[in-house]
Amino acid sequence: MIQVDISNIWGELSLRDLLAIEKEVFDAHAALTDGTGAGADFRGWLNLPLREPTQEITRVQNVAEKIRSDSDVCVVIGIGGSYLGPRAAIELLQGPNRNMGKGRGDPQIFFAGNGLSTRHYNELLGLLEGKDFSLIVISKSGTTTEPAIAFRGLRWLLERKYGTDEANRRIYAITDPVSGALRQMAQQQGWESFVIPPSTGGRFSVLTPVGLLPMAVAGIDILAVLNGAVDGKEAYDLRSFENPAWLYAAVRNLMYRSGKAIEVFASFEPGFKMFGGWWQQLFGESEGKDGKGIFPVPAELTADLHSLGQLIQQGQRNLFETMLRFDPPEKQMTILGDVQNLDGLNYLEGKTMDFVDEMAFQGTVEAHVDGGVPVITMDCGQLDDRKVGELFYFLELSCALSAYVLGVNPFNQPGVEFYKRNMFQLLGKPEIS
Ligand code: PA5
């Protein structure tokens, strides 16, 4: 179980505050499980964790094996909830440089359609030159502009390279079971396709084929991920503050009520950056509405202590921090002695880098708490495929509870339409009747 430690926030809130909000968290959890809260039709993610593979999961595994065996590169096209989850899992487990030296058998995985940058697209075309590749195109609505543009270009490239029939065997679509342009195209062209359940919104879809297919292509054991999520589902059903999801949801709301409107979500792992991005979308899009919401800021430590550290330490006191820790890896790096000792590091001779990391963590928590930044710590244990599934479920549940306590619908995102409306008007998009 993930341990949430709130011992470093007692200066900011009292036990009485915590007890006072308990009933609200209880009601939020009941509303979520009973389906009496806002957006109740979008709670399908609660039932995604699985112990045994379904036919669909086996098909995901088989398709992943095919892509691994016939492609040097797999391009995953999608944006928002159709992009961040798989990238978060892959980079957290395999590191931000996982593509280096990869190819047929364990393909490189690139992401496209998550923006409109021509430079990014051109770079990708360069990376695909002379490579065998496949496309996974993900869009729940099947109509999102950014992935649709990237897909149109990459599909043309694929068809030019392989001809239409083989190209169609190298395109995999993940979309709504019935509606949307992508479903229609998949049916027409005979692409192998997977379903995003209508009851599961984009940012809660990482445990559907949206996250699982790219993860499986990366060689991640998706059954272990799903099993980890089941463990989470069972463990975090507790209806008390012994449930760390309750504690996290409650403390976030108490912090917000006391004027802390920004949450820094930090870890000491560089591979965590994209996971932080996934968390940012999950909480930002779920809570930021009706004039409310905590602004979510992911951070990578210690790197960001040399960029955000000054502001966190001494800037406006309107933030709190959540720090994640994982157990140390098995393979350790020991700091060597040096006869000259010009860098003055000999006092660390024989110590591991992990020991220094731990001291940096403790020192940072102490400094930030002294500086008036309450710090929640999450001890996540061993980082592996299973843990990632548990972490996804834990944060999704915490987010839904937190949003209900905040008094908003966690499952809609009406604000996202505004930029699209303006963009379509400027582009002269014809109305579809
Ligand atoms: O969480 C969400 O619902 C959004 O971030 C969507 O995932 C994002 O807008 C992409 O939408 P679609 O999957 O329909 O292309």
Side-chain angles (χ1 to χ4, degrees), residues 276-307:
W278 173 83
W279 165 87
Q280 183 175 50
Q281 189 211 1
L282 180 70
F283 280 81
E285 218 168 72
S286 299
E287 291 188 330
K289 53 197 71 155
D290 306 339
K292 301 178 190 175
I294 298 171
F295 195 92
V297 182
E300 180 211 327
L301 308 184
T302 61
D304 287 339
L305 292 176
H306 298 258
S307 59

PDB file of all heavy atoms in Angstrom, residues 276-307:
ATOM      1  N   GLY A 276       4.395  12.904 -13.967  1.00  0.00           N
ATOM      2  CA  GLY A 276       3.933  14.177 -13.407  1.00  0.00           C
ATOM      3  C   GLY A 276       2.970  14.870 -14.363  1.00  0.00           C
ATOM      4  O   GLY A 276       1.997  15.495 -13.946  1.00  0.00           O
ATOM      5  N   GLY A 277       3.235  14.745 -15.674  1.00  0.00           N
ATOM      6  CA  GLY A 277       2.351  15.339 -16.678  1.00  0.00           C
ATOM      7  C   GLY A 277       0.982  14.673 -16.669  1.00  0.00           C
ATOM      8  O   GLY A 277      -0.061  15.322 -16.796  1.00  0.00           O
ATOM      9  N   TRP A 278       0.991  13.347 -16.518  1.00  0.00           N
ATOM     10  CA  TRP A 278      -0.286  12.613 -16.445  1.00  0.00           C
ATOM     11  C   TRP A 278      -1.083  13.050 -15.217  1.00  0.00           C
ATOM     12  O   TRP A 278      -2.280  13.320 -15.288  1.00  0.00           O
ATOM     13  CB  TRP A 278      -0.015  11.099 -16.400  1.00  0.00           C
ATOM     14  CG  TRP A 278      -1.246  10.286 -16.160  1.00  0.00           C
ATOM     15  CD1 TRP A 278      -2.167   9.884 -17.088  1.00  0.00           C
ATOM     16  CD2 TRP A 278      -1.709   9.781 -14.899  1.00  0.00           C
ATOM     17  NE1 TRP A 278      -3.175   9.161 -16.480  1.00  0.00           N
ATOM     18  CE2 TRP A 278      -2.912   9.095 -15.143  1.00  0.00           C
ATOM     19  CE3 TRP A 278      -1.234   9.853 -13.594  1.00  0.00           C
ATOM     20  CZ2 TRP A 278      -3.644   8.472 -14.120  1.00  0.00           C
ATOM     21  CZ3 TRP A 278      -1.952   9.250 -12.574  1.00  0.00           C
ATOM     22  CH2 TRP A 278      -3.142   8.558 -12.841  1.00  0.00           C
ATOM     23  N   TRP A 279      -0.392  13.117 -14.069  1.00  0.00           N
ATOM     24  CA  TRP A 279      -1.030  13.568 -12.816  1.00  0.00           C
ATOM     25  C   TRP A 279      -1.583  14.982 -12.996  1.00  0.00           C
ATOM     26  O   TRP A 279      -2.682  15.298 -12.548  1.00  0.00           O
ATOM     27  CB  TRP A 279       0.014  13.525 -11.687  1.00  0.00           C
ATOM     28  CG  TRP A 279      -0.377  14.279 -10.467  1.00  0.00           C
ATOM     29  CD1 TRP A 279      -1.109  13.814  -9.416  1.00  0.00           C
ATOM     30  CD2 TRP A 279      -0.078  15.661 -10.161  1.00  0.00           C
ATOM     31  NE1 TRP A 279      -1.278  14.807  -8.479  1.00  0.00           N
ATOM     32  CE2 TRP A 279      -0.650  15.945  -8.918  1.00  0.00           C
ATOM     33  CE3 TRP A 279       0.621  16.668 -10.817  1.00  0.00           C
ATOM     34  CZ2 TRP A 279      -0.547  17.190  -8.307  1.00  0.00           C
ATOM     35  CZ3 TRP A 279       0.724  17.918 -10.231  1.00  0.00           C
ATOM     36  CH2 TRP A 279       0.147  18.163  -8.991  1.00  0.00           C
ATOM     37  N   GLN A 280      -0.812  15.841 -13.680  1.00  0.00           N
ATOM     38  CA  GLN A 280      -1.225  17.231 -13.866  1.00  0.00           C
ATOM     39  C   GLN A 280      -2.545  17.308 -14.638  1.00  0.00           C
ATOM     40  O   GLN A 280      -3.449  18.047 -14.281  1.00  0.00           O
ATOM     41  CB  GLN A 280      -0.133  17.978 -14.634  1.00  0.00           C
ATOM     42  CG  GLN A 280      -0.420  19.445 -14.831  1.00  0.00           C
ATOM     43  CD  GLN A 280       0.758  20.141 -15.492  1.00  0.00           C
ATOM     44  OE1 GLN A 280       1.269  19.672 -16.518  1.00  0.00           O
ATOM     45  NE2 GLN A 280       1.198  21.231 -14.920  1.00  0.00           N
ATOM     46  N   GLN A 281      -2.644  16.516 -15.716  1.00  0.00           N
ATOM     47  CA  GLN A 281      -3.891  16.538 -16.479  1.00  0.00           C
ATOM     48  C   GLN A 281      -5.042  15.974 -15.652  1.00  0.00           C
ATOM     49  O   GLN A 281      -6.140  16.522 -15.616  1.00  0.00           O
ATOM     50  CB  GLN A 281      -3.774  15.723 -17.775  1.00  0.00           C
ATOM     51  CG  GLN A 281      -4.998  15.939 -18.660  1.00  0.00           C
ATOM     52  CD  GLN A 281      -5.387  14.756 -19.520  1.00  0.00           C
ATOM     53  OE1 GLN A 281      -4.762  13.705 -19.482  1.00  0.00           O
ATOM     54  NE2 GLN A 281      -6.428  14.918 -20.298  1.00  0.00           N
ATOM     55  N   LEU A 282      -4.743  14.852 -14.963  1.00  0.00           N
ATOM     56  CA  LEU A 282      -5.797  14.191 -14.181  1.00  0.00           C
ATOM     57  C   LEU A 282      -6.420  15.176 -13.193  1.00  0.00           C
ATOM     58  O   LEU A 282      -7.641  15.357 -13.171  1.00  0.00           O
ATOM     59  CB  LEU A 282      -5.210  12.974 -13.441  1.00  0.00           C
ATOM     60  CG  LEU A 282      -6.193  12.196 -12.586  1.00  0.00           C
ATOM     61  CD1 LEU A 282      -7.196  11.449 -13.466  1.00  0.00           C
ATOM     62  CD2 LEU A 282      -5.457  11.194 -11.680  1.00  0.00           C
ATOM     63  N   PHE A 283      -5.581  15.789 -12.381  1.00  0.00           N
ATOM     64  CA  PHE A 283      -6.117  16.677 -11.344  1.00  0.00           C
ATOM     65  C   PHE A 283      -6.538  18.030 -11.916  1.00  0.00           C
ATOM     66  O   PHE A 283      -7.568  18.583 -11.515  1.00  0.00           O
ATOM     67  CB  PHE A 283      -5.092  16.850 -10.208  1.00  0.00           C
ATOM     68  CG  PHE A 283      -5.097  15.688  -9.252  1.00  0.00           C
ATOM     69  CD1 PHE A 283      -4.415  14.513  -9.546  1.00  0.00           C
ATOM     70  CD2 PHE A 283      -5.806  15.736  -8.068  1.00  0.00           C
ATOM     71  CE1 PHE A 283      -4.438  13.432  -8.678  1.00  0.00           C
ATOM     72  CE2 PHE A 283      -5.838  14.658  -7.187  1.00  0.00           C
ATOM     73  CZ  PHE A 283      -5.148  13.507  -7.495  1.00  0.00           C
ATOM     74  N   GLY A 284      -5.749  18.547 -12.857  1.00  0.00           N
ATOM     75  CA  GLY A 284      -6.059  19.880 -13.392  1.00  0.00           C
ATOM     76  C   GLY A 284      -7.381  19.888 -14.137  1.00  0.00           C
ATOM     77  O   GLY A 284      -8.238  20.758 -13.922  1.00  0.00           O
ATOM     78  N   GLU A 285      -7.591  18.900 -15.002  1.00  0.00           N
ATOM     79  CA  GLU A 285      -8.804  18.884 -15.826  1.00  0.00           C
ATOM     80  C   GLU A 285     -10.019  18.422 -15.011  1.00  0.00           C
ATOM     81  O   GLU A 285     -11.153  18.779 -15.321  1.00  0.00           O
ATOM     82  CB  GLU A 285      -8.584  17.949 -17.030  1.00  0.00           C
ATOM     83  CG  GLU A 285      -9.212  18.467 -18.304  1.00  0.00           C
ATOM     84  CD  GLU A 285      -8.754  17.696 -19.541  1.00  0.00           C
ATOM     85  OE1 GLU A 285      -9.161  16.543 -19.731  1.00  0.00           O
ATOM     86  OE2 GLU A 285      -7.978  18.266 -20.323  1.00  0.00           O
ATOM     87  N   SER A 286      -9.756  17.627 -13.979  1.00  0.00           N
ATOM     88  CA  SER A 286     -10.883  17.130 -13.174  1.00  0.00           C
ATOM     89  C   SER A 286     -11.373  18.177 -12.182  1.00  0.00           C
ATOM     90  O   SER A 286     -12.565  18.266 -11.898  1.00  0.00           O
ATOM     91  CB  SER A 286     -10.469  15.866 -12.407  1.00  0.00           C
ATOM     92  OG  SER A 286     -10.087  14.853 -13.319  1.00  0.00           O
ATOM     93  N   GLU A 287     -10.442  18.988 -11.649  1.00  0.00           N
ATOM     94  CA  GLU A 287     -10.832  19.912 -10.578  1.00  0.00           C
ATOM     95  C   GLU A 287     -10.964  21.367 -11.024  1.00  0.00           C
ATOM     96  O   GLU A 287     -11.651  22.157 -10.364  1.00  0.00           O
ATOM     97  CB  GLU A 287      -9.801  19.853  -9.452  1.00  0.00           C
ATOM     98  CG  GLU A 287      -9.820  18.547  -8.684  1.00  0.00           C
ATOM     99  CD  GLU A 287      -8.934  18.561  -7.456  1.00  0.00           C
ATOM    100  OE1 GLU A 287      -7.906  19.263  -7.442  1.00  0.00           O
ATOM    101  OE2 GLU A 287      -9.274  17.861  -6.501  1.00  0.00           O
ATOM    102  N   GLY A 288     -10.275  21.720 -12.096  1.00  0.00           N
ATOM    103  CA  GLY A 288     -10.230  23.141 -12.461  1.00  0.00           C
ATOM    104  C   GLY A 288     -11.458  23.599 -13.200  1.00  0.00           C
ATOM    105  O   GLY A 288     -11.474  23.663 -14.431  1.00  0.00           O
ATOM    106  N   LYS A 289     -12.504  23.923 -12.494  1.00  0.00           N
ATOM    107  CA  LYS A 289     -13.748  24.392 -13.138  1.00  0.00           C
ATOM    108  C   LYS A 289     -14.604  25.133 -12.119  1.00  0.00           C
ATOM    109  O   LYS A 289     -14.297  25.092 -10.919  1.00  0.00           O
ATOM    110  CB  LYS A 289     -14.505  23.209 -13.762  1.00  0.00           C
ATOM    111  CG  LYS A 289     -14.764  22.056 -12.844  1.00  0.00           C
ATOM    112  CD  LYS A 289     -15.127  20.774 -13.600  1.00  0.00           C
ATOM    113  CE  LYS A 289     -13.961  20.168 -14.339  1.00  0.00           C
ATOM    114  NZ  LYS A 289     -14.080  18.710 -14.584  1.00  0.00           N
ATOM    115  N   ASP A 290     -15.629  25.771 -12.565  1.00  0.00           N
ATOM    116  CA  ASP A 290     -16.548  26.524 -11.682  1.00  0.00           C
ATOM    117  C   ASP A 290     -15.784  27.529 -10.812  1.00  0.00           C
ATOM    118  O   ASP A 290     -16.137  27.773  -9.651  1.00  0.00           O
ATOM    119  CB  ASP A 290     -17.353  25.565 -10.765  1.00  0.00           C
ATOM    120  CG  ASP A 290     -18.083  24.481 -11.539  1.00  0.00           C
ATOM    121  OD1 ASP A 290     -18.299  24.680 -12.750  1.00  0.00           O
ATOM    122  OD2 ASP A 290     -18.411  23.435 -10.951  1.00  0.00           O
ATOM    123  N   GLY A 291     -14.707  28.085 -11.335  1.00  0.00           N
ATOM    124  CA  GLY A 291     -13.924  29.069 -10.568  1.00  0.00           C
ATOM    125  C   GLY A 291     -13.109  28.450  -9.449  1.00  0.00           C
ATOM    126  O   GLY A 291     -12.600  29.163  -8.583  1.00  0.00           O
ATOM    127  N   LYS A 292     -12.995  27.119  -9.443  1.00  0.00           N
ATOM    128  CA  LYS A 292     -12.251  26.445  -8.373  1.00  0.00           C
ATOM    129  C   LYS A 292     -11.077  25.658  -8.941  1.00  0.00           C
ATOM    130  O   LYS A 292     -10.947  25.499 -10.154  1.00  0.00           O
ATOM    131  CB  LYS A 292     -13.163  25.448  -7.646  1.00  0.00           C
ATOM    132  CG  LYS A 292     -14.390  26.054  -7.018  1.00  0.00           C
ATOM    133  CD  LYS A 292     -15.194  24.930  -6.378  1.00  0.00           C
ATOM    134  CE  LYS A 292     -16.566  25.405  -5.943  1.00  0.00           C
ATOM    135  NZ  LYS A 292     -17.391  24.314  -5.445  1.00  0.00           N
ATOM    136  N   GLY A 293     -10.262  25.103  -8.052  1.00  0.00           N
ATOM    137  CA  GLY A 293      -9.224  24.171  -8.496  1.00  0.00           C
ATOM    138  C   GLY A 293      -7.843  24.516  -7.962  1.00  0.00           C
ATOM    139  O   GLY A 293      -7.495  25.689  -7.815  1.00  0.00           O
ATOM    140  N   ILE A 294      -7.079  23.484  -7.666  1.00  0.00           N
ATOM    141  CA  ILE A 294      -5.688  23.636  -7.233  1.00  0.00           C
ATOM    142  C   ILE A 294      -4.832  23.571  -8.495  1.00  0.00           C
ATOM    143  O   ILE A 294      -4.985  22.649  -9.304  1.00  0.00           O
ATOM    144  CB  ILE A 294      -5.300  22.481  -6.279  1.00  0.00           C
ATOM    145  CG1 ILE A 294      -6.187  22.522  -5.018  1.00  0.00           C
ATOM    146  CG2 ILE A 294      -3.827  22.545  -5.910  1.00  0.00           C
ATOM    147  CD1 ILE A 294      -6.042  21.300  -4.125  1.00  0.00           C
ATOM    148  N   PHE A 295      -3.920  24.516  -8.678  1.00  0.00           N
ATOM    149  CA  PHE A 295      -3.084  24.503  -9.878  1.00  0.00           C
ATOM    150  C   PHE A 295      -1.990  23.447  -9.699  1.00  0.00           C
ATOM    151  O   PHE A 295      -1.157  23.559  -8.800  1.00  0.00           O
ATOM    152  CB  PHE A 295      -2.466  25.891 -10.122  1.00  0.00           C
ATOM    153  CG  PHE A 295      -1.914  26.037 -11.506  1.00  0.00           C
ATOM    154  CD1 PHE A 295      -2.700  26.538 -12.525  1.00  0.00           C
ATOM    155  CD2 PHE A 295      -0.623  25.635 -11.796  1.00  0.00           C
ATOM    156  CE1 PHE A 295      -2.207  26.649 -13.821  1.00  0.00           C
ATOM    157  CE2 PHE A 295      -0.122  25.739 -13.093  1.00  0.00           C
ATOM    158  CZ  PHE A 295      -0.917  26.239 -14.100  1.00  0.00           C
ATOM    159  N   PRO A 296      -1.958  22.399 -10.546  1.00  0.00           N
ATOM    160  CA  PRO A 296      -1.005  21.293 -10.345  1.00  0.00           C
ATOM    161  C   PRO A 296       0.308  21.509 -11.093  1.00  0.00           C
ATOM    162  O   PRO A 296       0.307  21.715 -12.300  1.00  0.00           O
ATOM    163  CB  PRO A 296      -1.761  20.089 -10.930  1.00  0.00           C
ATOM    164  CG  PRO A 296      -2.749  20.655 -11.903  1.00  0.00           C
ATOM    165  CD  PRO A 296      -2.909  22.131 -11.647  1.00  0.00           C
ATOM    166  N   VAL A 297       1.406  21.441 -10.376  1.00  0.00           N
ATOM    167  CA  VAL A 297       2.725  21.685 -10.983  1.00  0.00           C
ATOM    168  C   VAL A 297       3.648  20.487 -10.726  1.00  0.00           C
ATOM    169  O   VAL A 297       4.067  20.262  -9.598  1.00  0.00           O
ATOM    170  CB  VAL A 297       3.395  22.938 -10.368  1.00  0.00           C
ATOM    171  CG1 VAL A 297       4.741  23.216 -11.033  1.00  0.00           C
ATOM    172  CG2 VAL A 297       2.485  24.144 -10.459  1.00  0.00           C
ATOM    173  N   PRO A 298       3.949  19.706 -11.761  1.00  0.00           N
ATOM    174  CA  PRO A 298       4.892  18.597 -11.533  1.00  0.00           C
ATOM    175  C   PRO A 298       6.325  19.120 -11.462  1.00  0.00           C
ATOM    176  O   PRO A 298       6.656  20.109 -12.108  1.00  0.00           O
ATOM    177  CB  PRO A 298       4.714  17.709 -12.771  1.00  0.00           C
ATOM    178  CG  PRO A 298       4.014  18.536 -13.788  1.00  0.00           C
ATOM    179  CD  PRO A 298       3.445  19.749 -13.136  1.00  0.00           C
ATOM    180  N   ALA A 299       7.162  18.452 -10.681  1.00  0.00           N
ATOM    181  CA  ALA A 299       8.565  18.880 -10.581  1.00  0.00           C
ATOM    182  C   ALA A 299       9.463  17.662 -10.452  1.00  0.00           C
ATOM    183  O   ALA A 299       9.070  16.641  -9.867  1.00  0.00           O
ATOM    184  CB  ALA A 299       8.749  19.792  -9.370  1.00  0.00           C
ATOM    185  N   GLU A 300      10.651  17.801 -11.024  1.00  0.00           N
ATOM    186  CA  GLU A 300      11.637  16.713 -10.920  1.00  0.00           C
ATOM    187  C   GLU A 300      12.785  17.207 -10.044  1.00  0.00           C
ATOM    188  O   GLU A 300      13.443  18.195 -10.366  1.00  0.00           O
ATOM    189  CB  GLU A 300      12.147  16.367 -12.327  1.00  0.00           C
ATOM    190  CG  GLU A 300      13.166  15.257 -12.325  1.00  0.00           C
ATOM    191  CD  GLU A 300      14.182  15.420 -13.458  1.00  0.00           C
ATOM    192  OE1 GLU A 300      13.831  15.915 -14.534  1.00  0.00           O
ATOM    193  OE2 GLU A 300      15.343  15.050 -13.227  1.00  0.00           O
ATOM    194  N   LEU A 301      12.998  16.513  -8.944  1.00  0.00           N
ATOM    195  CA  LEU A 301      14.062  16.907  -8.018  1.00  0.00           C
ATOM    196  C   LEU A 301      15.225  15.924  -8.167  1.00  0.00           C
ATOM    197  O   LEU A 301      15.010  14.800  -8.573  1.00  0.00           O
ATOM    198  CB  LEU A 301      13.529  16.894  -6.583  1.00  0.00           C
ATOM    199  CG  LEU A 301      12.218  17.693  -6.356  1.00  0.00           C
ATOM    200  CD1 LEU A 301      11.868  17.683  -4.878  1.00  0.00           C
ATOM    201  CD2 LEU A 301      12.314  19.117  -6.877  1.00  0.00           C
ATOM    202  N   THR A 302      16.452  16.327  -7.934  1.00  0.00           N
ATOM    203  CA  THR A 302      16.817  17.615  -7.435  1.00  0.00           C
ATOM    204  C   THR A 302      16.940  18.658  -8.551  1.00  0.00           C
ATOM    205  O   THR A 302      17.146  19.850  -8.241  1.00  0.00           O
ATOM    206  CB  THR A 302      18.178  17.544  -6.703  1.00  0.00           C
ATOM    207  OG1 THR A 302      19.201  17.100  -7.637  1.00  0.00           O
ATOM    208  CG2 THR A 302      18.154  16.585  -5.548  1.00  0.00           C
ATOM    209  N   ALA A 303      16.792  18.249  -9.832  1.00  0.00           N
ATOM    210  CA  ALA A 303      16.990  19.185 -10.951  1.00  0.00           C
ATOM    211  C   ALA A 303      16.210  20.485 -10.750  1.00  0.00           C
ATOM    212  O   ALA A 303      16.763  21.579 -10.851  1.00  0.00           O
ATOM    213  CB  ALA A 303      16.598  18.514 -12.267  1.00  0.00           C
ATOM    214  N   ASP A 304      14.930  20.378 -10.413  1.00  0.00           N
ATOM    215  CA  ASP A 304      14.103  21.586 -10.318  1.00  0.00           C
ATOM    216  C   ASP A 304      14.356  22.389  -9.040  1.00  0.00           C
ATOM    217  O   ASP A 304      13.843  23.509  -8.905  1.00  0.00           O
ATOM    218  CB  ASP A 304      12.618  21.220 -10.460  1.00  0.00           C
ATOM    219  CG  ASP A 304      12.276  20.844 -11.896  1.00  0.00           C
ATOM    220  OD1 ASP A 304      13.035  21.248 -12.806  1.00  0.00           O
ATOM    221  OD2 ASP A 304      11.278  20.140 -12.112  1.00  0.00           O
ATOM    222  N   LEU A 305      15.138  21.841  -8.114  1.00  0.00           N
ATOM    223  CA  LEU A 305      15.531  22.653  -6.954  1.00  0.00           C
ATOM    224  C   LEU A 305      16.450  23.775  -7.415  1.00  0.00           C
ATOM    225  O   LEU A 305      16.617  24.776  -6.735  1.00  0.00           O
ATOM    226  CB  LEU A 305      16.237  21.795  -5.902  1.00  0.00           C
ATOM    227  CG  LEU A 305      15.358  20.763  -5.203  1.00  0.00           C
ATOM    228  CD1 LEU A 305      16.180  19.918  -4.264  1.00  0.00           C
ATOM    229  CD2 LEU A 305      14.220  21.447  -4.450  1.00  0.00           C
ATOM    230  N   HIS A 306      17.036  23.561  -8.617  1.00  0.00           N
ATOM    231  CA  HIS A 306      17.918  24.588  -9.185  1.00  0.00           C
ATOM    232  C   HIS A 306      17.170  25.470 -10.174  1.00  0.00           C
ATOM    233  O   HIS A 306      17.781  26.194 -10.947  1.00  0.00           O
ATOM    234  CB  HIS A 306      19.124  23.912  -9.852  1.00  0.00           C
ATOM    235  CG  HIS A 306      19.944  23.128  -8.861  1.00  0.00           C
ATOM    236  ND1 HIS A 306      21.131  23.586  -8.345  1.00  0.00           N
ATOM    237  CD2 HIS A 306      19.712  21.939  -8.255  1.00  0.00           C
ATOM    238  CE1 HIS A 306      21.608  22.697  -7.478  1.00  0.00           C
ATOM    239  NE2 HIS A 306      20.765  21.681  -7.413  1.00  0.00           N
ATOM    240  N   SER A 307      15.847  25.330 -10.203  1.00  0.00           N
ATOM    241  CA  SER A 307      15.052  26.240 -11.036  1.00  0.00           C
ATOM    242  C   SER A 307      13.848  26.747 -10.229  1.00  0.00           C
ATOM    243  O   SER A 307      13.705  27.929  -9.982  1.00  0.00           O
ATOM    244  CB  SER A 307      14.597  25.553 -12.325  1.00  0.00           C
ATOM    245  OG  SER A 307      13.824  24.413 -12.049  1.00  0.00           O
TER     246      SER A 307
END
